[in-house]
Amino acid sequence: MITMMFQRAREVFILLFLAVFSKAVSIKSNYQRASPMPSSDGSASYCLSWRLAVEANNVRAWPMVPTQCMRHIESYMLGGQYDHDLDLIKDQILSYVNETVLNGDGMDAWILDVDDTCISNIFYYKGKRYGCDPYDPTGFKAWAIKGGCPAIPSVLAMFNKLVEKGFQVFLITGRDEETLGKATVGNLHNQGFVGYERLILRNATYKGKSAVIYKSEIRKQIEGEGYRIWGNVGDQWSDLQGDCLGIRTFKLPNPMYFVP
């Protein structure tokens, strides 16, 4: 009798052990299916962290996108997440715009950058491996003079709301006025940016000055004319640093290049 009881207890113990082990294996298997495994060299995790650090301005003066991150940047820019991020920022801007009460004297201003804020250079940077190749000013000028940059849809929609609200919209760009002025005006108009107050390009006075200094001085001039800057939008931190920034600033994502 004792032998039979011992054998029965042993069988029950084995069954319980197998049940617990099987459940543990199932949980581990489900977790592995739900959690994507990093690549063997860790590049996926590194590139995600690198892009976040770039947008937070923790990585500065970076000359090129790390080579191992080219596919990550391509996927971000063309895979939908970039557009989702822009839409969220646009919604935040318009929420702020809807809360503003303008004075009605025509002196309520808004600042917008141009390249990769209003219009996109994604097709140019595709040929530059999304920023993995060195910046080529001659090549970019040849691209920009064609006037083929498409509008960034969320920003165009925001621009139209700003104009409709009654803001005087100033477009400030680091593009050279002499060589790219006409092409830039035509490009913006063809893409639907109609009704802005003024397009300001870099002229000889600001040649060699950093974007921060150049754009600060332009904003100071605008305020000197009596305008009140309610908002300032750009894809580079240098668009949003310096003097006379306005009441609020909004940074758009751009992991393809850095402008000091």
Side-chain angles (χ1 to χ4, degrees):
M1 176 67 72
I2 293 175
T3 302
M4 291 178 63
M5 291 177 62
F6 177 79
Q7 184 176 356
R8 178 59 181 167
R10 183 170 178 272
E11 290 174 352
V12 170
F13 174 78
I14 291 172
L15 289 172
L16 287 172
F17 174 80
L18 290 174
V20 171
F21 178 77
S22 176
K23 185 175 182 179
V25 170
S26 176
I27 292 173
K28 182 178 180 182
S29 177
N30 289 335
Y31 174 78
Q32 288 176 334
R33 285 197 295 268
S35 304
M37 296 297 290
S39 60
S40 58
D41 62 358
S43 61
S45 296
Y46 169 78
C47 294
L48 184 61
S49 298
W50 179 84
R51 179 166 59 83
L52 176 61
V54 161
E55 294 303 342
N57 204 29
N58 292 325
V59 178
R60 300 183 182 184
W62 48 279
M64 292 178 290
V65 172
T67 302
Q68 66 268 36
C69 296
M70 186 190 78
R71 293 303 179 194
H72 172 81
I73 301 302
E74 179 182 37
S75 176
Y76 172 72
M77 296 299 297
L78 301 180
Q81 189 58 52
Y82 171 67
D83 296 316
H84 290 312
D85 291 349
L86 289 174
D87 285 340
L88 187 148
I89 297 168
K90 176 204 68 177
D91 291 343
Q92 293 299 310
I93 293 173
L94 292 183
S95 177
Y96 165 62
V97 167
N98 290 335
E99 295 172 357
T100 60
V101 179
L102 304 190
N103 289 306
D105 59 359
M107 301 304 287
D108 296 299
W110 197 283
I111 306 293
L112 289 178
D113 173 54
V114 173
D115 283 299
D116 296 295
T117 297
C118 292
I119 52 178
S120 173
N121 293 292
I122 185 65
F123 297 123
Y124 170 78
Y125 278 95
K126 180 179 180 180
K128 303 298 289 183
R129 298 194 302 154
Y130 302 97
C132 291
D133 292 338
Y135 175 65
D136 173 17
T138 302
F140 179 79
K141 185 178 292 186
W143 152 259
I145 206 167
K146 296 176 182 177
C149 299
I152 296 177
S154 56
V155 178
L156 179 58
M158 177 191 70
F159 167 83
N160 288 328
K161 289 290 185 181
L162 292 171
V163 173
E164 180 183 332
K165 176 87 174 183
F167 283 102
Q168 308 305 309
V169 180
F170 290 81
L171 308 182
I172 307 177
T173 175
R175 290 187 176 198
D176 178 67
E177 183 177 46
E178 183 178 359
T179 58
L180 294 177
K182 184 177 180 180
T184 304
V185 170
N187 196 159
L188 288 165
H189 185 273
N190 291 338
Q191 291 300 314
F193 288 92
V194 178
Y196 54 82
E197 173 65 17
R198 198 180 308 165
L199 169 65
I200 302 171
L201 299 99
R202 188 190 290 259
N203 59 31
T205 302
Y206 300 102
K207 186 176 182 179
K209 292 187 177 183
S210 70
V212 173
I213 294 175
Y214 159 58
K215 294 196 172 185
S216 290
E217 293 185 6
I218 294 298
R219 292 190 299 265
K220 186 176 181 179
Q221 291 174 21
I222 291 171
E223 287 192 346
E225 295 176 22
Y227 288 97
R228 298 173 292 272
I229 301 175
W230 286 81
N232 182 7
V233 182
D235 68 296
Q236 299 291 316
W237 279 103
S238 53
D239 298 326
L240 311 174
Q241 294 172 330
D243 301 325
C244 307
L245 295 173
I247 298 173
R248 286 200 62 177
T249 61
F250 298 88
K251 169 72 168 64
L252 304 185
N254 184 355
M256 298 186 297
Y257 58 86
F258 179 92
V259 177

